[in-house]
Structures are given as structure tokens and as C-alpha cells.
Amino acid sequence: MSEFELIRRYFCSEILQPERRDVCLGIGDDCALISVPEGKQLVVSVDTSVAGVHFPEDADPYDIGWRALAVSLSDLAAMGAKPAWFTLALTLPEGKGEWLESFSQGISDLARRFGIALVGGDTTRGALSVTVQVQGYVSPGAAWKRSGAKPGDLIYVSGPLGEAAGGLEVVLNPELDLPEYQSLKQAYLRPEPRFDLLSSLSGRVRAAIDISDGFLADLNHVLKASGVGAVLDPGRIPISSSLKSLFGEDRAFEMAISGGDDYQLCFMISPKRRLELEVCADQCHLQLYPVGVITSTPGIEGLNHFNSAGFDHFGRNN
Ligand code: ADP
Ligand code: MG
């Protein structure tokens, strides 16, 4: 199959190239041409997923496609941006039709949810790796940066943590692949970028980040960027009953605070906004979890004996 034929067959479906009036020229020329909505700022991010590093070599191609797009989109969700377009740079050892069909389906199913258009890419031969660049937009000044947290702000997370770390264990250990642990596996293989939070959080968030490296690591990025610290309430960190039943309380807690790949959002709001946020989230049937407070003292308090070398034990407040 020629490169051109491969692109036409697998990446030019109506789903991947939906009718969007802002795409003046999509796949097929040297560049895509896009009209950015008037008065908006373009928001851009790129992520590469490498076989054997970011996903198992023999993973289902559907999941590889879904995940590669999801992790990139999650960065847009973390900035409060509206997703719109993306490009795909694919490096493949060989152009196997069945693999490409399923890969393209995984990407399409997620892309369709948000009506985003694939506007271009690159296809090369080599070790399997998938790079997705996403573009979206925000009103000027409305993006949620890492640098906006202030002492007194409340720290929230958008869902149970450690799910994907647990899911990776399930993927790597087939004896754990039981019906009761499928939700963990899904969290790892098919993360959901949290655009569903956008309307509730819009205009209320002071700082935000998506949890890709692990809750503490990512919270630390916000603290450093904002020049603040945090006090956490470990008893409030959301952990699912499946994670606890599979790994026990302590290990589940360790996974929740340090496991990566969850793609939940961690965000900060002023305490004055708490009530309106919670009312709004309730109306949208969203569950949000307050897990601590921003302070002026650098560092994270509330967890004892945690350092980058690993986990010892935690001083629980309740
Ligand atoms: P060029 O050599 O000018 O970079 P290519 O031959 O690489 O062009 O690509 C031809 C067209 O197909 C371009 O519009 C490019 O954006 C698009 N394209 C290439 N690979 C992909 C892909 N994996 N997914 C989507 N579009 C792609
Ligand atoms: Mg090219």
C-alpha cells in the first residue's frame, strides 16, 4: 500500500474529517488551512506515545489510537480549551491493514465525541510511535494556567485516582483480568479527556493541570508555577473500592497519589466560589472532590514520610 493510499483509506473518513466550516483546507496539501474563530486564542499541545514505553508493544491497536488522542486532548481540557482540530504523525514498522483499521477506529470513536477534525499528519516507517498534536481555542485570558493558584484556594480533583496505575497492573498480569477489575483496565486503556467539566468550571478555575505523571507530581508543578504550597487531607483523596479490594488500602493509596496516566483534572478555585461550583457540578451530575487547600508555605503537608524515593507510610488525619 502506498503512503497516499494508506492515508486515504484509514485517515480520511467522514468521522475524522467532519464538516467544519473553520477547516478551509484539510488533508491533501502541504499544510492545512484553518480559520481560528474571531477573537479567540489558539491553544496547542503535542504528545508522543512510543510502543514499549507509553503502551505495551502488543496492545490492541484500537486502544493505542484512542489513548494517543486522549492524552493529547487531556492537555486541552486542562487549559479549559474547546477542542477543534488535530494532526497525527504515525511511525509504523509495516502498513498492516487490520492493525490500521482498528487503530483508526479507536481514534475516530474518540474524535467523533468532540467533533474534532483530523487536518493533517505524517506517515513514516520505523518503530511504532504515535504523535498527536491537538489544537483548540479559548477566549483571551480565559485559559487555566498552572501559575494562578493563591493561598486559601481549594484544591479539587475530578475523579478517583490511581485507577490507571491499577489498570496497568491488570493489563500486565492476565490473572488479574477479572470482571470486577475491568473499570481499572478501562481507565488505563481508554482515558477520557475531561471536557465534560468545562461548563461547570468555566470562569471559576484559578489554576489547573491534568494528572498524567501522578497526583503529587502534577500538583507540585502547579505549586512551583504558582509559588505556593498545599495542605492535603489524605482521607478525602478519592479511591475506588475496586482499587482498594485489588491492592489493599495502603497500596491503593500509594497508587492514588503517585500513579500516573489517570488524566483526571486537578484544579484550584477561590473558596468564595465553592458553593456556586458545587451547585453547578450537581446540576451537571458531576462529582468533584475537594482534597486540600493552597498555602503560602512551599511544599506539600498532610502526608508524612513521602519522598521521591518512594512511599513509607502516611499520617492520616481521620
Ligand atoms: P508532505 O510530503 O508535503 O509533508 P505528505 O505526503 O507527508 O505531504 O502527506 C500528504 C498529505 O497527507 C498531507 O496533507 C498530510 O498532512 C497528510 N497526512 C500524512 N500522513 C497523515 C496521517 N497519518 N494522518 C492524517 N493526515 C496525514
Ligand atoms: Mg510529510
Side-chain angles (χ1 to χ4, degrees), residues 26-107:
I27 293 174
D29 212 311
D30 293 320
C31 292
L33 285 176
I34 292 167
S35 294
V36 179
E38 188 139 3
K40 300 288 185 186
Q41 285 179 322
L42 188 62
V43 185
V44 181
S45 178
V46 66
D47 275 289
T48 294
S49 305
V50 177
V53 179
H54 300 97
F55 57 86
E57 212 76 56
D58 60 350
D60 183 335
Y62 182 100
D63 296 328
I64 297 174
W66 174 290
R67 209 165 169 283
L69 179 56
V71 304
S72 218
L73 283 174
S74 175
D75 286 319
L76 290 183
M79 297 292 285
K82 200 165 164 30
W85 319 282
F86 70 109
T87 57
L88 168 67
L90 186 57
T91 306
L92 280 174
E94 56 201 322
K96 264 202 264 164
E98 211 179 314
W99 192 97
L100 279 160
E101 181 73 47
S102 168
F103 172 81
S104 145
Q105 195 63 52
I107 293 197

Side-chain angles (χ1 to χ4, degrees), residues 11 42 49 54 62 65 103 114 122 130 143 148-149 156 191 232 249 296:
F11 301 110
L42 188 62
S49 305
H54 300 97
Y62 182 100
F103 172 81
F114 308 111
D122 195 26
V130 186
Y156 280 79
L232 294 178
E249 294 259 343
S296 52

Side-chain angles (χ1 to χ4, degrees), residues 4-316:
F4 183 76
E5 172 64 10
L6 182 156
I7 295 160
R8 196 194 55 75
R9 206 188 278 184
Y10 300 106
F11 301 110
C12 289
S13 70
E14 278 164 36
I15 297 163
L16 286 172
Q17 298 201 283
E19 284 279 335
R20 283 189 66 110
R21 291 222 307 256
D22 49 19
V23 179
C24 310
L25 187 61
I27 293 174
D29 212 311
D30 293 320
C31 292
L33 285 176
I34 292 167
S35 294
V36 179
E38 188 139 3
K40 300 288 185 186
Q41 285 179 322
L42 188 62
V43 185
V44 181
S45 178
V46 66
D47 275 289
T48 294
S49 305
V50 177
V53 179
H54 300 97
F55 57 86
E57 212 76 56
D58 60 350
D60 183 335
Y62 182 100
D63 296 328
I64 297 174
W66 174 290
R67 209 165 169 283
L69 179 56
V71 304
S72 218
L73 283 174
S74 175
D75 286 319
L76 290 183
M79 297 292 285
K82 200 165 164 30
W85 319 282
F86 70 109
T87 57
L88 168 67
L90 186 57
T91 306
L92 280 174
E94 56 201 322
K96 264 202 264 164
E98 211 179 314
W99 192 97
L100 279 160
E101 181 73 47
S102 168
F103 172 81
S104 145
Q105 195 63 52
I107 293 197
S108 304
D109 284 351
L110 187 58
R112 184 193 345 231
R113 295 249 196 113
F114 308 111
I116 54 175
L118 180 61
V119 296
D122 195 26
T123 309
T124 52
R125 198 164 286 257
L128 179 60
S129 132
V130 186
T131 297
V132 175
Q133 191 216 38
V134 288
Q135 289 124 18
Y137 52 86
V138 290
S139 293
W144 309 332
K145 297 190 251 177
R146 296 179 181 186
S147 55
K150 302 216 163 34
D153 283 359
L154 305 175
I155 306 168
Y156 280 79
V157 294
S158 63
L161 303 182
E163 297 287 280
L168 179 58
E169 292 293 316
V170 175
V171 169
L172 297 177
N173 300 284
E175 73 277 11
L176 302 179
D177 201 347
L178 303 169
E180 57 268 41
Y181 304 131
Q182 293 310 299
S183 58
L184 300 177
K185 198 170 140 184
Q186 286 295 105
Y188 173 70
L189 293 175
R190 309 236 181 116
E192 302 263 349
R194 298 299 312 266
F195 293 109
D196 57 329
L197 301 168
L198 195 60
S199 66
S200 298
L201 299 191
S202 189
R204 304 194 165 102
V205 167
R206 270 231 263 246
I209 191 165
D210 64 327
I211 302 177
S212 54
D213 296 341
F215 171 61
L216 288 186
D218 289 314
L219 174 61
N220 245 320
H221 293 315
V222 172
L223 301 181
K224 290 248 159 69
S226 299
V228 294
V231 177
L232 294 178
D233 185 346
R236 282 182 170 265
I237 291 172
I239 305 176
S240 73
S241 50
S242 337
L243 196 70
K244 287 186 203 167
S245 86
L246 181 53
F247 298 102
E249 294 259 343
D250 283 357
R251 179 103 194 279
F253 186 73
E254 179 193 351
M255 285 171 150
I257 61 170
S258 56
D261 298 330
D262 276 323
Y263 300 102
Q264 294 293 345
L265 299 190
C266 171
F267 59 90
M268 289 75 195
I269 62 155
S270 152
K272 285 188 224 136
R273 301 264 190 188
R274 176 174 204 156
L275 197 61
E276 55 172 270
L277 173 74
E278 289 183 356
V279 167
C280 205
D282 242 30
Q283 281 167 355
C284 298
H285 307 288
L286 293 170
Q287 217 175 344
L288 302 175
Y289 304 84
V291 294
V293 180
I294 296 292
T295 62
S296 52
T297 319
I300 297 177
E301 277 179 57
L303 312 171
N304 294 339
H305 300 294
F306 188 89
N307 57 44
S308 57
F311 156 94
D312 294 311
H313 68 272
F314 300 90
R316 290 176 199 233

